[in-house]
Amino acid sequence: MISFTRRKLLAAAGLAPAFASPVFLRSAAASTRVITVASLLGEEKPETRIWRWIAERAEERLPRHFRFRIVANGALGGEKEVADGALLGSIQASLCTVSTLTAWVPELQILDLPFLYSDAAHLRRVVRSDVGSDLVRRLASHGFVASGFIDYGARHLLAKEPITLPEQMQGKTMRVIQSRLHTSLWSRFGAIPVGIPITETYNALSTGVAEAMDLTISAYAGLKLHEVVPYLTRTAHIRSAGVIFYAANFWDRLEEEEQRVLAEISAEASEVFNGWMAADEKASLDLAVSQGTQVLQPERPEDWRKTAEAVWQEFSGVVGGREVIDSVLKLA
């Protein structure tokens, strides 16, 4: 049953055009399904707002079928804890960066390779291609039903002191996502990577456990990290991709029409989210600058890129071979 329902998702939802679906009548015995949703950020951020948007449209399409219990501000843990909770059945849905999900699907690292993506449009073309379809299938086989890819924006370097040259990373303690790729990337610049959950990052930076990190601008402001790492260098080294996902152990218990409607709404939500995130990035940068952030441009950008591109070779076998990387480059 599991493989059947997830194959139907691929055809009907995340990467395919949405189509109209009639509301159907439920049996009198059917009960409202509670969907516990984990969000890392506050109510005003796109990460949480998008679940309010999904909940409203689900109620319009299928009244009283679902009750969304949206838990914000990282109260259910960081991304790794949330993903684990989804597999255990305590969490039914969330957004997640592909970086975290590479613990289950290493091939997702094709979306994380540094300096591979030129801009948001390039990433969008890739996730809508066969590359994206293959990743959705792989996620489903590991218990994550991805109904749409999302774009959190570019990751930039954040630090306690100005850093504009690659050699200035030497010896810096760098908070990284708990991912082999991110660890390898910053090690190549001479930094000392430390895997710290995002919910613990503020304290780690304020107490000196870490001296630098990388993150999107929206999350930088949303987590108030400008208070502890006031220098932002616009390296834009990784396009931070993610997914809207549902736990398969929840999804597979839904009626076929419920799957279809949630898939369609969530696929549309991914585009809404991307638009909100682009606007939020600008507002977040303005806010951070108004509170003391200094924005810097990287010097010798070709040296940053050359060092980082060595990661492509290291991970080419993991992501499917050099031909997969070349297929991404052709879509630039």
Side-chain angles (χ1 to χ4, degrees):
M1 172 185 165
I2 291 177
S3 61
F4 174 75
T5 55
R6 294 180 210 170
R7 279 199 299 271
K8 295 181 80 167
L9 168 72
L10 300 180
L15 306 175
F19 52 88
S21 172
V23 174
F24 69 102
L25 297 176
R26 306 186 81 192
S27 68
S31 60
T32 300
R33 303 181 190 276
V34 176
I35 303 178
T36 297
V37 178
S39 176
L40 294 181
L41 297 175
E43 290 289 343
E44 78 286 358
K45 284 294 188 177
E47 288 86 345
T48 302
R49 289 172 56 207
I50 199 62
W51 285 107
R52 304 289 179 200
W53 188 95
I54 290 172
E56 289 173 4
R57 277 142 192 84
E59 181 62 20
E60 291 170 0
R61 295 279 296 276
L62 296 175
R64 297 178 299 282
H65 278 240
F66 305 107
R67 180 168 67 83
F68 285 77
R69 175 177 172 262
I70 302 167
V71 184
N73 292 307
L76 296 179
E79 286 192 333
K80 177 63 166 58
E81 292 79 10
V82 169
D84 286 337
L87 296 179
L88 292 171
S90 60
I91 294 169
Q92 284 72 57
S94 189
L95 310 183
C96 191
T97 60
V98 297
S99 300
T100 295
L101 294 173
T102 59
W104 292 273
V105 182
E107 292 84 356
L108 282 166
Q109 288 169 113
I110 188 64
L111 302 180
D112 241 4
L113 291 179
F115 295 105
L116 181 59
Y117 295 89
S118 54
D119 54 24
H122 183 195
L123 176 63
R124 189 179 307 115
R125 286 190 290 272
V126 172
V127 297
R128 290 177 175 176
S129 71
D130 290 343
V131 171
S133 298
D134 178 64
L135 294 175
V136 169
R137 284 190 290 270
R138 292 179 185 277
L139 282 165
S141 71
H142 286 275
F144 303 98
V145 179
S147 58
F149 284 97
I150 52 177
D151 184 356
Y152 290 96
R155 300 182 75 90
H156 303 281
L157 177 63
L158 314 172
K160 288 181 170 291
E161 60 186 45
I163 297 177
T164 57
L165 295 166
E167 54 265 31
Q168 291 173 322
M169 290 301 303
Q170 189 71 38
K172 291 284 189 299
T173 305
M174 179 82 179
R175 179 270 171 182
V176 297
I177 288 177
Q178 293 161 297
S179 150
R180 189 167 71 87
L181 186 149
H182 285 252
T183 298
S184 176
L185 170 62
W186 293 108
S187 294
R188 290 178 181 278
F189 286 109
I192 304 168
V194 180
I196 300 173
I198 193 65
T199 50
E200 300 172 21
T201 298
Y202 186 102
N203 286 339
L205 292 163
S206 64
T207 58
V209 172
E211 302 169 85
M213 65 177 295
D214 68 337
L215 197 62
T216 63
I217 292 173
S218 178
Y220 173 59
L223 295 169
K224 302 185 184 302
L225 293 171
H226 51 83
E227 297 174 354
V228 288
V229 276
Y231 294 94
L232 186 155
T233 306
R234 300 202 71 155
T235 48
H237 49 280
I238 290 176
R239 198 82 207 171
S240 186
V243 294
I244 298 174
F245 79 84
Y246 295 88
N249 52 42
F250 159 76
W251 186 267
D252 291 333
R253 295 197 303 270
L254 298 180
E255 297 167 357
E256 183 175 334
E257 188 72 0
E258 291 174 324
Q259 291 179 345
R260 181 178 296 112
V261 169
L262 276 186
E264 291 171 6
I265 292 170
S266 300
E268 185 181 354
S270 67
E271 296 303 316
V272 173
F273 177 89
N274 290 346
W276 286 355
M277 187 57 74
D280 189 74
E281 183 176 67
K282 181 181 184 307
S284 295
L285 184 60
D286 290 343
L287 173 64
V289 169
S290 73
Q291 297 187 10
T293 292
Q294 295 189 42
V295 180
L296 310 171
Q297 295 298 326
E299 299 180 66
R300 303 203 315 267
E302 66 282 358
D303 289 348
W304 286 94
R305 184 182 181 97
K306 182 178 179 181
T307 299
E309 282 186 1
V311 177
W312 296 10
Q313 178 63 31
E314 179 182 352
F315 285 84
S316 63
V318 177
V319 302
R322 179 68 201 201
E323 60 271 21
V324 176
I325 297 174
D326 288 341
S327 72
V328 169
L329 290 170
K330 289 177 182 177
L331 291 171

